[in-house]
Amino acid sequence: MDDTIPGLLLHAADRDPDGVWLRTDEGSLTFAAAVSAVARTADRLRDAGVRRGDLVVVTARNTPPYLLSWLGLAALGAVTVATNPQSTPTELAGLVGQVRPRLLLTDRDLSPGGDVAALEVDDVAGSWAEEQPYAGTLPTLAAPDDVAVLIPTSGTTGRSKLVTQTHRAYAWAGEGFPWWLELTRDDRLMTSLPLFHINAQAYSVMGSLACGAGLVLLPRFSASGFLDAARRHGATEFNAIGAMLEILMRQPERPDDAATPLRLCYTGPSPTRERQEQIERRFGLRIVCGYAMSETPYGLVWPRGSRPYGTLGTPRQHPRHGTVNEARVVDDDGREVGPGVTGELLLRNPVVTPGYWEMPEETAAAFVDGWLRTGDLVTRNDDGTYTVVARRKEVLRRRGENLSPLEVEEAVLCHPDVSECAVVGVPSELSEEDVKAFVVLAPRAVADLPALRAWAAQRLAAFKVPRFWQAVDDLPRTSTSRVAKHLLPAGHPPDEYDAESATVAGSRPEDGR
């Protein structure tokens, strides 16, 4: 293999051209047909002016046209900036203004305006499910260390933090994932995780290509239909992040919950042993836990065949290259600490991000002597596994998404009735965090917390909008006048507005969202 994204696709087609790779409710593609579809898509993108190294913003929904377009861009050596299709026009315009892309690849109903060229993804992918002969060849213009994607993480609407990742990182993740989970060509990997995240791209898509397995692409996560989708497509493995497993567990139990082809689930962080065994018994599968991040798909994972409950596992290694990944735990002064002592997790491997796009200061701060600072606090156990303690960085994690409190605060502060705002994470019954906003009202303003939430919802993606709202007289401060968020009142007082319980009697269009 040549350690590129198109290299894995071509190798899979050479190995098993007639094997069915992509499976959806709208149709399927063999490995060979996928190569032809990606080649046609790459031709259309090239006709639109896309060249090697160009940046293309993609509002990546979980559909075959978006998947084929991403692979086509990778074949051309272009850089995909995949973003959440639920972004507001303001957020999308901010990202487009920041990266100055050659092209915006999107849907008819989502465009930031301005002078950026835009194409509809359905026009680029064409009739993707039709088996059409193709006389051309798939371009392979990318090199292993070329940047393949920019991954938007936390940041303000005008300056998103973009993780650069290379073709090598995606190829190595694809080769590693089946090895870590003991997957074979007989498996079918099902993903409902978004294609604008590294998990679905690097593990499910690349992993299925690397081992010759099938890929089941679901448009979104729906708890009520998830198991039926696995039965319908013969899925044997899926990846879960955030609260997905807890949401599945809260569905009404059925006698056939375990009567699916599913045998494996990959998730992180680890639930307690008791909870994990409950989930495994109900759904008749085995859970493998791990830890990774946009900055490197080579984090930690349970070693093959082991069951170190409650841990993140040991450093991920490559099935062909052997030991490529190192981990260490350091204190605030950068000194390595021993087993059982809490410190920050550092990682070093060949597929760590080259940095944050056009952010040299942030890049420099993320590394120390060649080691990536993860910002996560862990302890190293006597058996070489690691256990997560807390997140050092302020970025919040909600329903599998990263969000910046500063971005939410800036949106709320635009309201004329708000003079100050502090946004924090609070415990969620579904794991990870929920979001709460403390607001100090402007003089003579009347507290209308539902209206403030509606204001925020017009300016922020849904997962960024706080669930809890509380008006306070003032915000606690440190000696340097910074907001002391750790001193904000805990708990849920009677005057707090809970947007979720306020609508609990109504129906929601999609469960599990």
Side-chain angles (χ1 to χ4, degrees):
M1 294 194 184
D2 62 356
D3 285 349
T4 66
I5 293 170
L8 259 68
L9 174 59
L10 287 170
H11 187 79
D14 288 342
R15 185 177 54 225
D16 186 15
D18 297 325
V20 178
W21 174 51
L22 180 63
R23 300 168 184 269
T24 73
D25 286 337
E26 289 73 41
S28 62
L29 284 175
T30 65
F31 287 102
V35 171
S36 294
V38 171
R40 289 192 297 271
T41 301
D43 280 351
R44 295 184 183 111
L45 290 166
R46 185 163 43 198
D47 291 343
V50 177
R51 298 294 183 267
R52 180 179 181 183
D54 285 346
L55 273 62
V56 177
V57 172
V58 180
T59 57
R61 302 184 196 276
N62 274 35
T63 66
Y66 275 111
L67 174 59
L68 297 172
S69 296
W70 173 57
L71 294 172
L73 289 169
L76 292 173
V79 180
T80 297
V81 189
T83 190
N84 191 338
Q86 295 182 9
S87 300
T88 65
T90 300
E91 291 171 316
L92 185 56
L95 179 63
V96 168
Q98 178 182 345
V99 303
R100 307 176 300 280
R102 169 72 66 183
L103 183 71
L104 171 65
L105 197 57
T106 186
D107 296 316
R108 182 177 293 105
D109 58 349
L110 183 60
S111 175
D115 56 2
V116 62
L119 285 180
E120 292 185 21
V121 68
D122 288 335
D123 293 337
V124 173
S127 302
W128 63 269
E130 296 179 7
E131 296 279 351
Q132 302 177 19
Y134 182 67
T137 59
L138 179 67
T140 53
L141 303 179
D145 292 321
D146 284 351
V147 175
V149 297
L150 299 183
I151 307 169
T153 59
S154 62
T156 65
T157 53
R159 190 67 175 166
S160 183
K161 202 174 188 180
L162 300 169
V163 178
T164 62
Q165 270 300 3
T166 65
H167 279 261
R168 188 187 308 276
Y170 275 73
W172 279 28
E175 291 181 294
F177 189 70
W179 170 255
W180 303 324
L181 265 72
E182 301 180 82
L183 299 168
T184 73
R185 62 185 297 175
D186 295 326
D187 282 297
R188 295 180 187 176
L189 285 59
M190 183 170 73
T191 186
S192 62
L193 300 182
L195 287 175
F196 55 84
H197 278 182
I198 194 170
N199 189 305
Q201 294 175 342
Y203 292 154
S204 298
V205 177
M206 293 293 99
S208 63
L209 291 174
C211 72
L215 173 68
V216 179
L217 184 64
L218 301 183
R220 65 185 62 83
F221 173 65
S222 170
S224 61
F226 193 78
L227 298 181
D228 287 336
R231 296 184 185 99
R232 188 165 62 250
H233 293 290
T236 61
E237 187 274 343
F238 71 97
N239 291 3
I241 59 174
M244 281 178 58
L245 291 177
E246 287 300 323
I247 293 173
L248 285 173
M249 287 291 284
R250 294 184 181 205
Q251 289 293 297
E253 286 197 50
R254 290 171 31 178
D256 62 347
D257 279 344
T260 76
L262 291 170
R263 66 182 186 88
L264 282 172
C265 166
Y266 168 78
T267 192
S270 304
T272 65
R273 176 171 183 167
E274 180 182 13
R275 188 57 169 169
Q276 178 167 333
E277 290 177 339
Q278 289 174 346
I279 298 170
E280 290 178 333
R281 281 195 301 269
R282 176 171 172 180
F283 299 115
L285 48 75
R286 178 165 59 92
I287 295 174
V288 177
C289 299
Y291 164 92
M293 54 198 308
S294 298
E295 286 79 354
T296 178
Y298 269 61
L300 310 171
V301 71
W302 283 10
R304 286 165 54 98
S306 69
R307 306 279 280 168
Y309 294 100
T311 77
L312 302 174
T314 58
R316 302 174 191 242
Q317 307 301 348
H318 195 278
R320 290 189 297 113
H321 298 300
T323 301
V324 297
N325 190 22
E326 302 172 87
R328 59 196 299 242
V329 183
V330 301
D331 61 19
D332 291 339
D333 296 321
R335 294 188 296 260
E336 191 163 0
V337 300
V341 181
T342 298
E344 183 179 6
L345 175 66
L346 306 186
L347 295 170
R348 183 169 66 181
N349 59 66
V351 292
V352 166
T353 175
Y356 302 106
W357 188 75
E358 292 191 345
M359 289 185 170
E361 293 182 1
E362 287 82 353
T363 297
F367 291 90
V368 53
D369 297 329
W371 292 80
L372 173 68
R373 303 184 61 179
T374 67
D376 290 311
L377 301 179
V378 303
T379 58
R380 180 167 60 87
N381 306 310
D382 290 331
D383 61 358
T385 61
Y386 295 77
T387 300
V388 68
V389 175
R391 299 179 67 84
R392 169 171 286 177
K393 50 195 176 186
E394 192 183 19
V395 172
L396 304 181
R397 184 80 169 169
R398 184 189 194 193
R399 303 290 175 88
E401 301 277 6
N402 289 334
L403 65 94
S404 166
L406 176 62
E407 181 181 9
V408 181
E409 290 162 0
E410 289 176 343
V412 176
L413 282 170
C414 290
H415 195 286
D417 288 346
V418 177
S419 63
E420 290 186 283
C421 178
V423 170
V424 299
V426 295
S428 167
E429 59 183 359
L430 292 175
S431 80
E432 294 186 342
E433 297 170 293
D434 261 316
V435 182
K436 180 172 182 176
F438 291 87
V439 293
V440 178
L441 299 177
R444 293 181 295 279
V446 177
D448 188 346
L449 299 179
L452 287 181
R453 184 193 179 280
W455 168 276
Q458 293 176 349
R459 290 157 176 80
L460 298 167
F463 72 90
K464 300 177 185 177
V465 179
R467 170 184 173 179
F468 300 104
W469 296 75
Q470 184 177 345
V472 294
D473 294 332
D474 51 47
L475 299 176
R477 303 279 177 178
T478 67
S479 58
T480 58
S481 297
R482 294 173 62 88
V483 176
K485 292 186 176 182
H486 63 287
L487 297 179
L488 288 166
H492 299 286
D495 60 343
E496 175 188 72
Y497 173 61
D498 178 354
E500 188 164 305
S501 66
T503 59
V504 71
S507 61
R508 285 180 284 181
E510 188 68 48
D511 59 313
R513 296 185 63 189

